[in-house]
């Protein structure tokens, strides 16, 4: 057993939840930042800025939790691979707004399902902090 062994490290579905959440919050923040930079519609701009801020906060909290447990997240190339945001780079104006709002709708629905599933998992010593985090967020 190595000195890095941590019996509280996330496993199985809990680990997958953490990886998926890290990726989705990064992508949503990056997409929102791009939309805020390229958009002039005040409502969309406000949504994009708030969404970027909230997703960066969740991303940082999750990374810090993982770091404290020596949890290895996937490589940076995986995290930064955001196909929806890449496709939207060629869009402008209302097309960009529609694409962004549709992305937010789909990603938020998926995130809610993942959060609910995490909260519903049986409580174990290794997932207590993650379940609590999911419940609070």
């Amino acid at each position: 057993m190595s000195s890095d062994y941590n019996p509280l490290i996330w496993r199985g579905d809990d680990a997958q939840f953490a990886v998926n959440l890290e990726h989705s919050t990064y992508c949503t923040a990056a997409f929102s930042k791009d939309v805020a930079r390229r958009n002039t519609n005040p409502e969309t701009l406000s949504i994009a800025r708030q969404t970027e801020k909230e997703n960066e906060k969740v991303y940082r909290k999750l990374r810090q939790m993982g770091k404290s447990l020596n949890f290895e997240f996937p490589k940076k190339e995986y995290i930064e691979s955001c196909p929806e945001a890449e496709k939207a780079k060629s869009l402008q104006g209302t097309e960009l707004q529609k694409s962004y709002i549709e992305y937010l709708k789909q990603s938020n629905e998926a995130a809610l399902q993942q959060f609910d599933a995490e909260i519903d998992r049986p409580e174990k010593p290794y997932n207590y902090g993650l379940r609590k985090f999911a419940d609070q967020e």
Side-chain angles (χ1 to χ4, degrees), residues 10 58-69 73:
W10 305 321
V58 171
Y59 176 81
R60 283 192 308 271
K61 280 184 180 177
L62 183 66
R63 293 285 300 184
Q64 187 58 41
M65 286 176 64
K67 188 176 181 180
S68 71
L69 295 172
F73 283 103

Side-chain angles (χ1 to χ4, degrees), residues 4-11 66 69-72 125-127:
D4 289 339
Y5 175 76
N6 188 333
L8 301 179
I9 199 161
W10 305 321
R11 298 180 185 102
L69 295 172
N70 293 324
F71 181 78
E72 242 181 88
Y126 64 80
N127 76 356

Side-chain angles (χ1 to χ4, degrees), residues 3 13 16 21 28 30 35 37 41-42 48 51-52 56 65 72 75 81 85-87 90 101 111 116 124 131:
S3 62
D13 290 338
Q16 191 61 55
L21 183 59
T28 301
V35 167
R37 186 178 49 79
N41 179 292
T51 301
E52 177 189 6
E56 283 180 346
M65 286 176 64
E72 242 181 88
K75 295 191 181 306
S81 170
E86 288 300 316
K87 283 190 280 185
S90 64
I101 297 301
D116 287 343
K124 307 235 170 144
R131 286 178 74 245

Side-chain angles (χ1 to χ4, degrees), residues 22-37:
E22 180 202 33
H23 182 253
S24 67
T25 55
Y26 177 88
C27 287
T28 301
F31 196 176
S32 297
K33 185 176 187 175
D34 184 48
V35 167
R37 186 178 49 79

Side-chain angles (χ1 to χ4, degrees), residues 34-102:
D34 184 48
V35 167
R37 186 178 49 79
R38 298 189 303 131
N39 197 303
T40 58
N41 179 292
E43 291 173 353
T44 305
L45 190 59
S46 176
I47 290 168
R49 286 181 177 154
Q50 184 64 30
T51 301
E52 177 189 6
K53 180 180 167 184
E54 291 298 318
N55 277 271
E56 283 180 346
K57 180 182 83 168
V58 171
Y59 176 81
R60 283 192 308 271
K61 280 184 180 177
L62 183 66
R63 293 285 300 184
Q64 187 58 41
M65 286 176 64
K67 188 176 181 180
S68 71
L69 295 172
N70 293 324
F71 181 78
E72 242 181 88
F73 283 103
K75 295 191 181 306
K76 192 174 184 179
E77 294 81 29
Y78 168 77
I79 299 306
E80 293 178 351
S81 170
C82 307
E84 297 86 356
E86 288 300 316
K87 283 190 280 185
K89 287 192 186 291
S90 64
L91 303 176
Q92 296 290 327
T94 56
E95 286 183 355
L96 176 61
Q97 291 173 27
K98 286 179 185 177
S99 175
Y100 176 63
I101 297 301
E102 186 60 30

